[in-house]
Amino acid sequence: GATAYVSLEPCRHEGKTPACTRALLASGVARVVFGAADPGAESGGGGAELARAGVEVVGPVFDDLEARSLNPAFHHRFASALPWVALKLAVSLDGRIAEREGVRTMLSGPESAEAVHTLRAGFDAVLVGGVTGRVDDPLLTVRGGVEPRVPPVRIILDPQASIPSDAALFEATADVPVWVFTRDDASEAELERLEAAGASVHPVPAIGPHELDLGIVLRHCAVAGVGAILCEGGGRLASSLLNGGFIRRLYWGVVPRILGAEGVPAFPNVVGAEAAGLDWVPAEPARMHGDDTWITLDRREA
């Protein structure tokens, strides 16, 4: 006799778990209200199945933008062969991400750092560029009070295969995999060194001396089962992802500091407003984490 409220239309197929429609019917629920229609050819249509069985069904009650904003990676996979990619950057008031080139700079506060671990836990992979991997030496794991269902794969784009073997990334490769993408003409000795350090190494074509073909990198990730990627920098990688039209969501943290003219810009190589994806819509209200202001924006679809 109860009413069940669910964000996504109950599925009607058996995949990794049995059909939600069968569970609802077995429970005796009398009414189901759902937010977004399931876009899957096999999984969709659960609302109609419940209605045929005598359950009162109301939905979808979200419009298209609400549906995609709530669960964007899920909906994206039905429309694209590439992973859903989000970019997270903490920037100063003057749009800088570090004090100078090659200098590790802790911009955001501890409250933001804690929120980032919660954010990471919802993704299949966390991605950084080679410069960030060397300068910041990040661990890229989920830590603190949140426990991910599956720890996100740690991915580094390192065209020259030059990240040191003692980098923090290699501390826990048995528990959390590390993938290193390099140029397909990188030194064989360097590739063997990275594999010995615990990385899974993936040579791919390059489009310049310091840049890999991001489309091929993302297709490789999709084939390997990575559906959602959180990119955490740096600026050159962020610019390339924006220029290629790969970024779908932006987590933008504004820190109340000014770094000045020597600071590293957030987007040093963006090639114009259209490529930069300046047409964005808010995905959720702005949030304060300590003194830092975080806004979440989704790229407006055509």
Side-chain angles (χ1 to χ4, degrees), residues 116-159:
V116 166
H117 287 292
T118 301
L119 187 62
R120 286 178 182 173
F123 283 81
D124 300 319
V126 179
L127 167 69
V128 296
V131 174
T132 298
R134 289 188 294 274
V135 174
D136 290 354
D137 195 24
L139 189 57
L140 297 182
T141 55
V142 178
R143 302 183 298 281
V146 63
E147 185 73 26
R149 183 176 61 85
V150 178
V153 175
R154 297 171 291 168
I155 302 175
I156 183 167
L157 305 190
D158 186 20

Side-chain angles (χ1 to χ4, degrees), residues 181-271:
F181 285 87
T182 71
R183 294 172 57 98
D184 54 10
D185 60 355
S187 162
E188 191 68 31
E190 293 297 331
L191 302 186
E192 292 175 356
R193 176 184 63 81
L194 291 174
E195 289 176 344
S200 175
V201 181
H202 306 278
V204 296
I207 57 175
H210 304 293
E211 187 168 352
L212 303 176
D213 188 320
L214 293 178
I216 292 179
V217 169
L218 293 175
R219 281 195 292 275
H220 180 102
C221 292
V223 169
V226 171
I229 298 175
L230 177 65
C231 176
E232 297 195 16
R236 281 185 284 271
L237 175 57
S239 296
S240 296
L241 287 168
L242 281 172
N243 289 338
F246 299 118
I247 299 295
R248 295 299 169 192
R249 174 167 286 186
L250 181 61
Y251 297 102
W252 189 258
V254 181
V255 179
R257 290 179 58 186
I258 293 178
L259 296 182
E262 291 188 10
V264 179
F267 301 127
N269 301 313
V270 167
V271 293

Side-chain angles (χ1 to χ4, degrees), residues 46-59:
E49 182 174 288
L50 290 170
R52 287 193 296 270
V55 176
E56 180 186 354
V57 178
V58 180

Side-chain angles (χ1 to χ4, degrees), residues 60-110:
V61 299
F62 294 158
D63 62 31
D64 185 58
L65 180 59
E66 286 176 314
R68 287 188 292 110
S69 295
L70 182 66
N71 199 348
F74 174 82
H75 289 273
H76 178 79
R77 78 184 192 195
F78 293 97
S80 175
L82 299 181
W84 183 76
V85 181
L87 172 67
K88 187 275 297 180
L89 282 180
V91 301
S92 63
L93 291 174
D94 51 347
R96 311 286 174 166
I97 59 175
E99 293 176 355
R100 294 186 305 280
E101 285 281 355
V103 176
R104 182 178 183 180
T105 305
M106 296 297 294
L107 267 183
S108 53

